């Protein structure tokens, strides 16, 4: 027994020195594991010494996996047939091993019968001096035949491992938050880390031993996302407050490793390196697990439309890794768009595996697991050629999905699988607050809301609503006074980022109807067709208009410029654009003032996202508004105030003076709105600053996590 205190979940069971290599790795075993054990016993009977003897269980298992099997130690007179049998029993690759113990029975029976060719390799007639030797080998063969019979009986009476499913409940008065990177099983299969949201909207990282009934929160992990384990199962990496951090899984103060404004997944190598994606527009970076300067590992192919590399997953050799490439889909190029790739820490080489918009995990069974729609599938990966083999096989149905394409499942190295089933139902609600944060009521019924925008008169809310079955969104209009919810768009493609024209007669929105970035508008009465305002082959979103509706501010991620997100000014009359900001950094969410002379926006030029104000006329000028990280600004109180979002999803406010000499106050708390923690704007402020609409996650009875033991039994042999 490798477990010192009896059977424990996720622990390999067996006598270490007689385990087959596949059993020592925690993989599925069959009768060929018994053939290996028979070979080990046979070797020990012939040599009088243990084949894999060591001081500790770990060293013994290491010997099983890698130690040389020295057949030169066999007695000089060992019959050739016995040597051949031993060699075939001790093949580390089970595909090359003796297929059935019955073959060993036949070989031993030949030796027991005293066949000189089997016992000595000599075809000559028996010699008196060899008679005793033949008898001795025959007695040994008889003993081994008894062992063969015993193994056959054990195998015949032993049931194959059964797939066992268990439900894991969230902590009391909390719910799992799969939007924040779901969960992570420790490599040793003993614990699970997950993000949970409490009734007040707060989020923390929790750890639960799988042999315990409760989980414990880790202090200092507020608003954590995308947890991942160290290889020794001692530490957890995660993202929070615009930083990549790590923490002891037993508790203690977290340590900042490096900046990561909006991290998208991490993986920890055995040599103490962490691979991660710092922002939504970055390649894969590496940083020492002790902290330091992050260095890019992959390079975005912007000419091919790549916009992000994310969710790295280390492969067993410690050099190669899986990662998801986000790219612009081109109608004339079937190989464009999202895809799963294999990268290398040793070179810039990379290999495309398959087209998918799901991140992936690697299983010790030799399979890559990923999502097809809401079905978890497994497909075998050839470790040498780094190519997928065979067909993808369903493993589990009905998994939850997110708009950021990360997995909602996790694997341990001991063969456990855990996943988040789709809970169904509604996931957020729109809440109206006054300036002091008091609730005034809700707008509309709960749904999967994104990017709410208040009309200028404060009576209606335009908002994108995601359809769970299609993962596409449409724009809806919610009327505060009448309590109605009216669908405004009906196209099957995504319609999102709605905002109002200055007179509230039209609702502008963005779309992917033509593959790039399209801007439409429609009468807010719902009458008439969608009117195309601007079309671009690049990813381009219109974020605001000036007071008379003649110009707007675009955020554009152009393949040709290789500069990531930039900001352009659009003339709506002639559809011409002018570059406002085009730097190596990511600029976004540009909001114009009514006179079009000023713009609030965000950029990560300082190493993290901060909010700035820029003057667009006269002598220009630029001023930083936030001081400790900030995104998604809104103008308020007649453009005498800027409200913006903090890295921990709070709201701060700054008083500004837009006169000949610009001035701004120190940021001060506005309120803790309990925003839903997903991409995009999850709040809006009325023009006079008296009303705030916030999008809050619904804390509901989400489906428990599903833990699966022996899941590989569902895979074909």
């Amino acid at each position: 027994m490798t477990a010192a205190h009896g059977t424990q979940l996720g622990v390999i069971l067996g006598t270490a020195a007689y385990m087959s290599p596949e059993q020592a790795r925690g993989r599925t075993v069959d009768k060929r594991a018994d053939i290996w054990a028979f070979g080990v016993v046979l070797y020990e009977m012939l040599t009088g010494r243990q084949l894999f003897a060591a001081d500790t269980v770990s060293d013994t298992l290491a010997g099983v996996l890698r130690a040389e099997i020295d057949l030169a130690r066999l007695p000089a007179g060992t019959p050739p047939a016995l040597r051949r049998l031993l060699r075939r029993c001790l093949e580390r690759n089970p595909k090359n091993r003796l297929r059935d113990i019955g073959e060993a029975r036949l070989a031993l029976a030949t030796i027991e019968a005293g066949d000189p060719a089997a016992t000595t390799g000599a075809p000559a007639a028996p010699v008196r001096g060899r008679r005793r030797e033949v008898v001795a080998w025959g007695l040994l063969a008889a003993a081994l035949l008894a062992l063969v019979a015993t193994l056959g009986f054990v195998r015949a009476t032993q049931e194959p491992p059964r797939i066992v499913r268990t439900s894991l409940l969230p902590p009391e008065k909390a719910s799992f938050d799969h939007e924040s990177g779901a969960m992570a099983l420790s490599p040793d299969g003993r614990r699970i880390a997950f993000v949970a949201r409490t009734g007040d909207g707060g989020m923390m990282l929790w750890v639960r031993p799988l042999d315990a009934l409760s989980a414990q929160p880790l202090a200092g992990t507020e608003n954590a996302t995308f947890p991942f384990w160290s290889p020794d199962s001692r530490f957890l990496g995660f993202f929070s407050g615009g930083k990549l951090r790590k923490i002891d899984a037993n508790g203690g103060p977290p340590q900042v490793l490096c900046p990561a404004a909006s991290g998208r997944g991490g993986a920890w190598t055995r040599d103490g390196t962490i691979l991660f994606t710092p922002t939504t527009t970055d390649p894969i970076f590496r940083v020492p697990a002790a902290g330091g300067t992050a260095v890019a590992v992959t390079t975005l192919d912007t000419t091919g439309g790549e916009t992000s590399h994310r969710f790295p997953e280390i492969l067993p050799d410690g050099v190669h890794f899986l990662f998801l490439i986000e790219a612009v889909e081109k109608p004339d190029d079937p190989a464009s768009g999202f895809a799963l790739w294999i990268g290398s820490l040793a070179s810039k080489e990379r290999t495309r595996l398959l087209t998918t918009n799901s991140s992936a995990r690697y299983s010790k069974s030799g399979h890559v697991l990923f999502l097809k729609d809401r079905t978890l599938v497994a497909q075998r990966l050839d470790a040498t050629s780094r190519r997928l083999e065979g067909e993808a096989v369903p493993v589990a149905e009905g998994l939850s999905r997110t708009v950021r394409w990360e997995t909602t499942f996790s694997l341990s190295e001991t063969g456990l699988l855990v996943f988040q089933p789709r809970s169904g139902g509604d996931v957020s609600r729109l809440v109206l607050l006054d300036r002091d944060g008091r609730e005034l009521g809700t707008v509309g019924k709960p749904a999967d809301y994104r990017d709410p925008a208040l009309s200028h008169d404060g009576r209606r809310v335009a908002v994108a609503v995601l359809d769970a079955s299609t993962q596409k969104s449409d724009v809806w209009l919610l009327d505060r006074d009448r309590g109605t919810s009216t669908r405004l768009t009906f196209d099957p493609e995504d319609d999102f980022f709605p905002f109002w024209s200055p007179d509230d007669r039209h609702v502008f929105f963005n779309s992917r109807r033509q593959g790039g970035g399209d801007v439409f508008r429609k009468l807010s009465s719902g009458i008439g067709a969608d009117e195309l305002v601007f079309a671009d082959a690049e990813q381009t979103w219109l974020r605001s208009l000036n007071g008379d509706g003649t110009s707007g501010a675009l955020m554009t991620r152009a393949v040709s410029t290789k500069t990531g997100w930039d900001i352009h000014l659009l003339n709506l009359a002639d559809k011409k654009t002018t570059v406002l900001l085009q730097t190596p950094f990511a600029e976004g969410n540009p909001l114009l003032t009514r006179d079009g002379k000023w713009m609030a926006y965000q950029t990560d030029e300082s190493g993290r996202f901060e909010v700035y104000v820029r003057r667009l006329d006269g002598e220009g000028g630029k001023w930083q508004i936030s001081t400790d990280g900030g995104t998604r600004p809104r103008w308020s109180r007649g453009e005498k105030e800027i409200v913006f979002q903090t890295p921990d999803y709070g709201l701060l406010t700054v008083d500004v003076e837009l006169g000949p000499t610009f001035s701004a106050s120190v940021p001060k708390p506005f309120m803790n709105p309990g925003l839903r923690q997903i991409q995009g704007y999850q709040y809006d402020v009325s023009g006079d600053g008296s009303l705030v609409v916030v999008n809050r996650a619904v804390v509901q009875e989400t489906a428990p996590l599903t833990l699966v033991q022996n899941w590989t039994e569902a895979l074909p042999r």
Side-chain angles (χ1 to χ4, degrees):
M1 301 285 288
T2 61
H5 304 291
T7 304
Q8 300 177 32
L9 185 61
V11 176
I12 299 172
L13 298 181
T15 307
Y18 301 94
M19 282 187 184
S20 65
E22 62 269 24
Q23 187 178 7
R25 289 189 173 97
R27 295 179 178 174
T28 302
V29 298
D30 55 24
K31 61 183 180 181
R32 291 172 294 184
D34 284 344
I35 291 173
W36 171 276
F38 166 77
V40 175
V41 173
L42 174 56
Y43 182 94
E44 293 179 1
M45 293 177 73
L46 292 170
T47 63
R49 67 179 67 197
Q50 282 191 296
L51 180 55
F52 300 115
D55 293 335
T56 67
V57 170
S58 298
D59 291 336
T60 300
L61 292 178
V64 169
L65 295 174
R66 292 185 295 273
E68 179 185 1
I69 299 173
D70 188 4
L71 297 184
R73 291 182 177 273
L74 296 176
T78 302
L82 205 53
R83 287 179 179 272
R84 289 193 297 271
L85 175 63
L86 185 60
R87 187 178 296 108
R88 291 196 62 196
C89 290
L90 295 179
E91 283 283 356
R92 283 197 166 91
N93 186 344
K95 294 181 180 179
N96 300 329
R97 200 174 301 155
L98 195 71
R99 294 181 58 83
D100 194 282
I101 201 67
E103 297 180 45
R105 182 190 300 274
L106 293 175
L108 294 172
T110 302
I111 297 172
E112 185 183 20
D115 185 343
T119 57
T120 68
V127 178
R128 182 179 301 271
R130 292 176 178 165
R131 191 178 303 268
R132 286 190 298 271
E133 181 182 345
V134 171
V135 171
W137 288 119
L139 292 173
L140 175 61
L144 290 172
L145 278 170
L147 176 60
V148 168
T150 302
L151 288 174
F153 173 77
V154 171
R155 176 56 60 188
T157 58
Q158 180 181 347
E159 291 186 10
R162 290 183 296 173
I163 298 175
V164 180
R165 293 178 176 86
T166 308
S167 292
L168 299 180
L169 297 174
E172 187 177 1
K173 298 181 180 179
S175 63
F176 295 119
D177 192 285
H178 72 269
E179 294 279 4
S180 300
M183 77 300 290
L185 282 167
S186 62
D188 63 11
R190 295 177 180 270
R191 293 187 283 186
I192 181 171
F194 56 85
V195 177
R197 184 185 298 274
T198 55
D200 60 3
M203 286 196 329
M204 292 188 73
L205 192 58
W206 297 65
V207 172
R208 172 181 168 176
L210 291 178
D211 60 358
L213 297 177
S214 61
Q216 299 299 321
L218 295 180
T221 63
E222 289 77 10
N223 301 305
T225 60
F226 303 110
F228 58 95
W229 288 88
S230 62
D232 60 6
S233 301
R234 290 182 54 203
F235 295 93
L236 280 160
F238 64 98
F239 301 92
S240 178
K243 308 287 186 183
L244 171 63
R245 306 170 189 265
K246 74 173 182 180
I247 190 171
D248 191 306
N250 294 317
Q255 176 187 341
V256 173
L257 302 182
C258 65
S262 51
R264 290 295 180 267
W268 200 315
T269 70
R270 294 190 179 277
D271 66 357
T273 297
I274 290 178
L275 303 185
F276 72 106
T277 303
T279 75
T280 58
T281 58
D282 274 325
I284 305 293
F285 278 70
R286 66 190 299 171
V287 68
T293 301
V295 178
V297 173
T298 62
T299 303
L300 296 178
D301 178 12
T302 53
T303 59
E306 295 179 7
T307 55
S308 173
H309 296 171
R310 51 181 70 188
F311 305 119
E313 170 83 349
I314 301 294
L315 292 177
D317 64 5
V319 175
H320 293 90
F321 56 92
L322 300 171
F323 67 104
L324 181 70
I325 289 185
E326 177 189 3
V328 178
E329 186 173 355
K330 301 177 181 178
D332 58 344
D333 184 2
S336 63
F338 288 87
L340 188 66
W341 290 69
I342 293 181
S344 173
L345 292 173
S347 68
K348 294 297 183 181
E349 121 185 72
R350 64 185 196 181
T351 304
R352 183 186 177 103
L353 281 184
L354 76 156
T355 299
T356 178
N357 64 351
S358 162
S359 56
R361 301 284 187 196
Y362 178 80
S363 165
K364 293 296 184 181
S365 65
H367 294 80
V368 173
L369 279 75
F370 57 97
L371 293 178
K372 279 190 173 181
D373 191 18
R374 295 185 180 276
T375 299
L376 178 62
V377 299
Q379 192 166 0
R380 183 168 292 280
L381 176 67
D382 184 282
T384 303
S385 66
R386 294 189 289 280
R387 300 288 183 182
L388 293 173
E389 298 178 335
E391 298 295 327
V393 180
V395 173
E397 303 282 349
L399 272 70
S400 61
R401 291 216 62 162
T402 78
V403 297
R404 295 180 298 197
W405 314 291
E406 70 266 21
T407 57
T408 52
F409 66 94
S410 180
L411 302 170
S412 75
E413 293 183 357
T414 57
L416 295 179
L417 162 69
V418 67
F419 64 87
Q420 172 71 69
R422 180 184 175 189
S423 59
D426 304 310
V427 294
S428 68
R429 60 193 178 103
L430 298 179
V431 181
L432 286 171
L433 309 173
D434 65 15
R435 190 170 180 84
D436 295 323
R438 291 187 292 264
E439 290 194 16
L440 303 177
T442 59
V443 183
K445 297 179 180 179
D448 196 343
Y449 292 121
R450 315 288 170 101
D451 301 296
L454 278 165
S455 60
H456 293 83
D457 61 14
R459 293 174 47 211
R460 291 180 290 178
V461 178
V463 65
V465 180
L466 188 73
D467 185 328
S469 62
T470 64
Q471 290 295 293
K472 306 289 186 181
S473 58
D474 280 291
V475 176
W476 289 65
L477 300 184
L478 314 181
D479 191 301
R480 289 180 52 205
D481 299 330
R482 299 173 56 231
T484 58
S485 299
T486 306
R487 184 173 175 177
L488 190 69
T489 66
F490 297 86
D491 190 88
E493 282 302 320
D494 263 331
D495 297 323
F496 51 94
F497 285 160
F499 63 93
W500 297 83
S501 63
D503 58 6
D504 288 341
R505 289 188 66 245
H506 290 88
V507 174
F508 287 75
F509 58 93
N510 297 271
S511 181
R512 293 190 177 94
R513 299 182 187 184
Q514 301 181 67
D518 310 315
V519 181
F520 291 84
R521 73 174 185 176
K522 188 171 184 176
L523 287 170
S524 60
S525 63
I527 298 173
D530 303 345
E531 178 186 351
L532 180 63
V533 175
F534 179 74
D536 197 332
E538 313 286 4
Q539 289 194 54
T540 300
W541 319 130
L542 185 64
R543 300 304 281 125
S544 65
L545 296 172
N546 63 358
D548 59 13
T550 59
S551 62
L554 298 166
M555 52 186 296
T556 301
R557 183 157 57 178
V559 172
S560 57
T561 61
K562 303 181 182 181
T563 56
W565 284 106
D566 302 316
I567 296 176
H568 294 69
L569 190 66
L570 170 67
N571 185 313
L572 271 70
D574 60 14
K575 306 297 190 290
K576 292 184 178 180
T577 62
T578 305
V579 175
L580 288 180
L581 281 173
Q582 190 174 84
T583 73
F585 308 104
E587 298 91 11
N589 292 324
L591 297 182
L592 298 174
T593 56
R594 288 168 296 180
D595 61 12
K597 296 180 179 180
W598 299 83
M599 179 179 71
Y601 66 101
Q602 67 187 52
T603 176
D604 63 353
E605 64 182 44
S606 67
R608 66 181 175 187
F609 279 108
E610 301 282 3
V611 173
Y612 291 79
V613 165
R614 180 177 289 267
R615 183 163 187 164
L616 304 181
D617 69 339
E619 297 180 356
K622 180 182 74 173
W623 295 268
Q624 183 174 331
I625 300 301
S626 59
T627 58
D628 195 23
T631 57
R632 301 179 176 88
R634 296 284 197 190
W635 292 104
S636 181
R637 291 176 56 195
E639 297 170 354
K640 294 183 179 298
E641 176 185 60
I642 294 176
V643 179
F644 63 89
Q645 182 180 302
T646 62
D648 60 358
Y649 290 83
L651 294 178
L652 296 180
T653 177
V654 172
D655 297 324
V656 295
E657 183 63 47
L658 302 181
T661 303
F662 176 84
S663 64
S665 68
V666 175
K668 55 189 176 184
F670 185 46
M671 63 175 64
N672 183 11
L675 299 178
R676 186 180 180 192
Q677 300 191 16
I678 59 174
Q679 289 178 329
Y681 276 91
Q682 305 306 320
Y683 80 101
D684 195 10
V685 185
S686 62
D688 62 4
S690 64
L691 190 66
V692 183
V693 61
V694 299
N695 188 26
R696 286 181 176 171
V698 174
V699 178
Q700 56 182 343
E701 291 297 326
T702 55
L705 301 180
T706 299
L707 181 70
V708 187
Q709 302 174 61
N710 304 321
W711 65 271
T712 55
E713 290 299 307
L715 301 177
R717 300 299 179 193

